[in-house]
Structure formats: structure tokens, C-alpha cells
């Protein structure tokens, strides 16, 4: 199987590469449109800030390439947020695959820190991405912005409110958490994606 | 709900763990990767690898080790020790670390926090603070606790928060190694005044101490070394216990 990882100016991309290697896949890290288009699966990972990553994608014409992909695509963390319509982070227009906006967490108490950092459960999972899951499993999150529950929601998580921790529309899948850092549960999600 | 985190800390010298001794069924307790994997399998939520080597050669060994840890370990890990400038951060993040922790360098040049936050994002920047209660209040210390400064713990933690730190790792030097519990009052004060997570460090002796750090100290995570390394507390049993105490824990 040929898996491509979108190379851009977001952090933490090599941990996705390492996670795939642990699953027995040698992915290609690339920003070459042709290599991305002909991959069996594409992963759009990363950690970072919406405006600078979105600007980079536009400058390298990767925005159009990502939108045109027809194979299964998995957005992770900032990758998921960039697949949405608009982000409150630096008032940024994003790719618009998912018809929903990205908002900033507004803590209710001093106990609720921003960013949310650590392990939280994914609830109400309804997708082949979570095949084999029988209970709310813990996965690893690091984020200050979130996607509200919407028509594309395939998993929810509670932090200051109940929000979308995973989305799905057509060939596009996305997780707010980091499956590559979520132990055996995360590996299961990556394998489920590779089996789509 | 977001779970409270349990974090074992491994000291590394010349590419080997320093304290890993009493580990059943582990052939190479000195091997940082095997030890990290063992902790991960027991349920550790994150790992911290602290480079205590001083030499240039040791730094290179540590960077190579970070690369191997990133390939093998599937939970987040932080690395610290000897990080003085942006290029050190870049080197370690490139090798695959999820976060870096800075201590003395941040007190000497607080702008380093802003630089790291702006370049790599707040989420990678853990500011570690060693502090001690004196007659003039809680004071921060440099160089692994050898040098007292005029900086007040709470003022410094707040400044670090405002400059863009992603987490505060607070070690009470009075509690460290004594095994009488964490500095829960100071922890509570930090946790209430900061908008970022606080990691409790120093003082773990039994399972109740972890509970108290969460319930009284309101810490977001608790870090320990020797109680885990010497097998006095098994992470899986600790997490089972904390869950029984109605603390949200990942099992």
C-alpha cells in the first residue's frame, strides 16, 4: 500500500511517519501534487497554528490538491481544523471540506486549562474508523480550538462542552486527537484507516 | 473527562537510564527504550527523559536516543536537560520529541520561552521550576537546585505562562526525595492562578500522595522517578487505586 503524508510547515509530522512504520507501512512524506494524488491513502497531520499553515498550503498550491483528493484522507489535529470552513484562530479561512467552523475553548472554571492537554475519551463513535471499539476509549489530545458537534461528527469528547473529536464526509476523515500518540488504541485507529 | 496523567521520569546519562534497577522481567533496565516501553505498557500517560550528561558527546548520544525513542514509543514524551537555545529545541523536536522542558535557561533568559512558543507552539514548551520554601517565600533555584535566585515561584510561573509556556513542571525541592507527599498547597495555588496545566513533581512515596496531589493540589499530572524505578509503586496498581478514589484516570 502506498501511503503519502502531506509535507508542510506544521510540527510533529515525523511521529505520524513513525507510527505508520510501526504498522508495517513505509509512507512517503511529500508536497508533490502528483505523488499525493496517486497515493492509496493520504494523511494530513500536524500540530501548529491555523493561519501560517493555511498560508503555506496556499503558497504551495497544496490547498487545491488536498481538496481534489478522492482516496481516503485522514486529517489529524490542525489537519482536521484546516479541513473545516473557517477557524477562529487568527480569523483564518480554511479548506471548507467540512461545512463547520473551528472555535476557541472558553473555560468555565480555573480547572479547565487551555490547551486541553492529555488523555480524554472519544464517545458515540459511529464510523469504520473506530471498528472494534466497544467502549469510550482514551486518546491523546493537545489543542486550544475545537469543532462543535455537527452533521459530520463521528465521535464526541467532553471538555468545557461536548464537541467533535472526529469528523467524516465522503472520503475525508479527521481526528482532533493524535492517534499516532495514543498507544494501542491509536494504532487500532490508524490500522482501521489503512483498511478503508 | 480529561484524565489526570501519571508520568515516570527517566534520568539518562551517556544513553543509559541511571536509576532503573528493580524491574522484574526486564533484561536491560538500563535501556531507556525498554524501560519506557515497560512503563507505557503499565499505563504511563507520558514519559519524561532527562539528559543529565554534561558533555558535548553526551548530547549527541542523547539526540540519537531521542530518535530511537520516537520510533519505538507510541505515547507522548518530553525531553529535558541542557536546552539553552532555540537550536537545541529544534534538534530535539526534529529527532521526534513531542515536548521539551527548559529550566535554568528560561530563568537566565526568559525570552527563550517566547521564542519557543512562537517558533514551535506553546504545546511543546514545558517550563520546569525547582523551588524551595524560604523565610521570604517560595524561591526558584538554578542548576539543579544548587543556586538560589531572587525569583518568586508564583511570579515566575505566571510570567512563564504569559510568555507562552504550555505547561509548568513544578518540583518542590523540600519535598523531593523525602517521600512525604507533594507540595499540595503550593500546587493548589499554582493550579488556581495559571491557565495552563501544572505537573506535580517531588515527594511521591505512596499511592495516597498521588491522590492528594490531584484532590488537594489540583495538579493536572504527577511525575515521579524512584518509586516507579524501584518498583515500590506499580503504575497499573496506582492507576487502579486512583480510579477507585474517583479520580479520572486512563486505564
Amino acid at each position: 500500500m502506498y501511503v503519502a503524508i502531506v509535507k508542510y510547515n506544521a510540527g510533529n509530522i515525523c511521529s505520524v511517519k513513525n507510527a505508520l512504520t510501526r504498522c508495517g507501512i513505509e509512507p512517503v512524506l511529500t508536497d508533490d501534487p502528483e505523488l499525493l494524488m496517486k497515493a492509496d491513502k493520504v494523511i494530513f497531520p500536524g500540530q501548529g497554528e491555523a493561519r501560517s499553515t493555511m498560508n503555506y498550503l496556499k503558497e504551495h498550491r497544496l490547498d487545491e490538491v488536498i481538496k481534489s483528493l478522492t482516496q481516503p484522507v485522514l486529517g489529524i489535529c490542525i489537519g482536521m481544523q484546516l479541513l473545516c470552513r473557517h477557524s477562529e484562530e487568527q480569523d483564518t479561512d480554511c479548506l471548507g471540506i467540512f461545512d463547520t467552523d473551528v472555535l476557541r475553548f472558553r473555560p468555565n472554571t480555573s480547572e479547565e486549562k487551555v490547551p486541553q492537554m492529555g488523555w480524554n475519551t472519544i464517545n458515540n463513535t459511529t464510523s469504520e474508523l473506530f471498528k472494534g471499539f466497544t467502549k469510550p476509549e482514551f486518546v491523546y489530545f493537545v489543542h486550544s480550538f475545537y469543532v462543535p458537534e455537527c452533521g459530520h461528527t463521528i465521535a464526541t469528547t467532553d471538555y468545557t462542552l461536548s464537541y467533535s473529536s472526529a469528523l467524516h464526509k465522503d472520503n475525508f476523515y479527521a481526528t482532533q486527537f493524535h492517534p499516532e500518540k495514543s498507544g494501542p488504541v491509536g494504532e487500532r485507529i490508524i490500522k482501521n484507516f489503512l483498511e478503508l | 473527562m480529561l484524565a489526570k496523567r501519571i508520568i515516570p521520569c527517566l534520568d539518562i546519562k551517556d544513553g543509559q537510564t541511571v536509576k532503573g534497577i528493580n524491574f522484574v522481567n526486564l533484561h536491560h533496565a538500563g535501556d531507556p527504550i525498554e524501560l519506557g516501553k515497560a512503563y507505557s505498557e503499565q499505563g504511563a500517560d507520558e514519559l519524561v527523559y532527562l539528559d543529565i550528561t554534561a558533555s558535548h558527546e553526551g548530547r549527541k548520544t542523547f539526540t540519537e536516543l531521542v530518535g530511537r525513542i520516537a520510533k519505538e514509543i507510541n505515547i507522548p514524551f518530553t525531553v529535558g536537560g541542557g536546552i539553552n537555545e532555540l537550536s537545541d529545541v529544534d534538534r530535539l523536536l526534529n529527532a521526534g520529541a513531542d515536548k521539551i522542558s527548559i529550566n535554568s535557561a528560561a530563568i537566565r533568559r526568559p525570552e527563550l520561552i517566547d521564542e519557543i512558543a512562537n517558533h514551535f507552539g506553546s504545546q511543546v514548551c514545558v517550563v520546569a521550576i525547582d523551588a524551595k520554601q524560604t523565610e521570604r517565600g517560595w524561591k526558584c533555584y538554578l542548576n539543579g537546585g544548587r543556586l538560589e535566585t531572587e525569583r518568586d515561584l508564583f511570579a515566575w510561573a505566571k510570567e512563564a505562562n504569559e510568555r507562552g509556556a504550555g505547561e509548568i513542571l513544578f518540583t518542590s525541592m523540600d519535598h523531593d526525595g523525602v517521600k512525604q507527599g507533594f507540595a499540595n498547597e503550593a500546587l493548589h495555588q499554582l493550579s488556581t492562578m495559571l491557565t495552563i496545566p501544572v505537573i506535580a513533581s517531588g515527594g511521591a512515596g505512596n499511592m495516597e500522595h498521588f491522590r492528594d496531589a490531584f484532590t488537594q493540589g489540583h495538579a493536572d499530572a504527577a511525575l515521579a522517578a524512584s518509586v516507579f524505578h524501584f518498583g515500590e509503586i506499580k503504575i497499573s496498581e496506582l492507576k487502579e487505586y486512583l480510579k477507585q478514589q474517583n479520580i479520572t484516570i486512563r486505564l
Side-chain angles (χ1 to χ4, degrees):
Chain A
M1 192 190 310
Y2 171 37
V3 180
I5 300 175
V6 181
K7 185 175 158 189
Y8 69 122
N9 64 332
N12 225 12
I13 286 178
C14 79
S15 59
V16 171
K17 191 167 181 283
N18 286 333
L20 287 167
T21 309
R22 286 194 294 270
C23 292
I25 300 277
E26 266 317 319
V28 177
L29 184 60
T30 181
D31 56 5
D32 180 335
E34 258 183 55
L35 290 177
L36 289 170
M37 303 235 259
K38 73 175 195 197
D40 299 316
K41 302 271 162 41
V42 173
I43 300 185
F44 180 37
Q47 223 174 49
E49 179 271 317
R51 179 165 288 268
S52 62
T53 47
M54 198 57 218
N55 283 345
Y56 182 97
L57 293 178
K58 280 190 195 152
E59 279 162 24
H60 293 75
R61 309 192 75 97
L62 284 167
D63 54 337
E64 292 306 321
V65 175
I66 291 168
K67 279 200 259 187
S68 73
L69 295 173
T70 54
Q71 67 275 61
V73 176
L74 177 64
I76 298 173
C77 196
I78 188 72
M80 162 162 146
Q81 298 185 355
L82 293 176
L83 289 173
C84 295
R85 197 169 47 203
H86 178 271
S87 174
E88 216 173 56
E89 187 171 22
Q90 305 271 347
D91 189 19
T92 306
D93 283 326
C94 302
L95 295 165
I97 303 272
F98 298 116
D99 192 21
T100 180
D101 293 340
V102 183
L103 308 174
R104 188 174 169 84
F105 276 131
R106 289 180 173 79
N108 306 309
T109 68
S110 70
E111 294 270 296
E112 291 170 339
K113 312 290 188 179
V114 178
Q116 170 178 221
M117 190 178 290
W119 299 79
N120 203 334
T121 51
I122 40 173
N123 317 313
N124 309 308
T125 51
T126 57
S127 160
E128 51 272 64
L129 208 54
F130 306 110
K131 198 172 63 190
F133 286 38
T134 54
K135 61 176 172 51
E137 297 282 359
F138 278 98
V139 290
Y140 188 76
F141 291 87
V142 183
H143 63 123
S144 301
F145 293 80
Y146 72 95
V147 176
E149 287 189 42
C150 62
H152 309 303
T153 305
I154 52 168
T156 64
T157 292
D158 291 323
Y159 194 70
T160 73
L161 77 173
S162 177
Y163 69 94
S164 302
S165 40
L167 300 171
H168 172 219
K169 183 190 171 193
D170 305 328
N171 57 316
F172 288 91
Y173 296 79
T175 64
Q176 180 59 68
F177 53 89
H178 290 274
E180 76 279 14
K181 285 288 162 186
S182 296
V185 171
E187 269 175 18
R188 179 69 203 247
I189 294 168
I190 291 171
K191 281 183 183 152
N192 284 345
F193 172 72
L194 296 175
E195 282 168 14
L196 285 174
Chain B
M1 245 173 75
L2 184 65
K4 301 289 188 184
R5 288 170 279 156
I6 299 295
I7 308 175
C9 176
L10 293 81
D11 285 350
I12 307 294
K13 195 174 182 185
D14 302 321
Q16 293 286 305
T17 44
V18 177
K19 290 182 196 162
I21 294 179
N22 195 0
F23 246 82
V24 190
N25 297 329
L26 197 61
H27 298 296
H28 304 285
D31 177 354
I33 292 169
E34 267 210 52
L35 194 54
K37 268 189 180 172
Y39 282 137
S40 172
E41 278 157 21
Q42 283 185 13
D45 296 304
E46 286 182 40
L47 302 170
V48 171
Y49 287 94
L50 212 53
D51 182 19
I52 58 168
T53 327
S55 69
H56 180 71
E57 198 52 40
R59 294 266 175 272
K60 222 174 105 187
T61 311
F62 186 68
T63 308
E64 287 162 9
L65 175 66
V66 169
R68 286 192 290 128
I69 295 166
K71 284 196 171 68
E72 300 273 343
I73 303 276
N74 59 13
I75 59 169
F77 70 98
T78 302
V79 299
I83 298 170
N84 292 309
E85 48 195 286
L86 219 48
S87 61
D88 295 322
V89 179
D90 193 41
R91 171 171 53 86
L92 292 164
L93 292 179
N94 265 323
D98 296 291
K99 312 181 208 178
I100 55 86
S101 130
I102 49 173
N103 193 333
S104 301
I107 290 193
R108 288 204 187 90
R109 202 171 67 81
E111 297 77 22
L112 182 60
I113 301 170
D114 305 66
E115 292 168 13
I116 295 170
N118 290 336
H119 269 81
F120 306 104
S122 287
Q123 77 283 347
V124 310
C125 183
V126 181
V127 173
I129 306 177
D130 296 331
K132 201 172 181 171
Q133 202 162 18
T134 72
E135 288 159 1
R136 295 164 299 121
W138 281 91
K139 293 291 173 192
C140 300
Y141 279 67
L142 284 175
N143 299 354
R146 286 188 290 272
L147 193 65
E148 190 185 338
T149 73
E150 276 308 303
R151 278 191 185 269
D152 172 74
L153 162 66
F154 302 103
W156 172 232
K158 191 159 191 297
E159 182 180 338
N161 186 165
E162 282 161 1
R163 285 182 180 274
E167 285 179 288
I168 298 292
L169 166 55
F170 161 53
T171 304
S172 163
M173 292 164 54
D174 298 311
H175 296 72
D176 202 21
V178 190
K179 300 196 172 181
Q180 296 294 312
F182 294 91
N184 295 323
E185 254 178 63
L187 275 169
H188 187 195
Q189 201 173 331
L190 283 173
S191 180
T192 310
M193 61 181 272
L194 301 179
T195 63
I196 52 176
V198 177
I199 306 167
S201 160
N206 58 38
M207 299 205 273
E208 289 76 17
H209 293 154
F210 286 90
R211 176 197 62 197
D212 296 345
F214 296 133
T215 57
Q216 296 171 23
H218 295 257
D220 298 281
L223 175 144
S226 57
V227 286
F228 297 142
H229 299 324
F230 294 110
E232 292 162 27
I233 296 177
K234 218 177 157 205
I235 293 178
S236 48
E237 287 165 12
L238 170 62
K239 294 185 89 174
E240 200 62 60
Y241 164 81
L242 292 170
K243 195 174 180 193
Q244 282 165 17
Q245 301 291 312
N246 286 324
I247 292 166
T248 308
I249 281 290
R250 175 182 72 112
L251 281 179

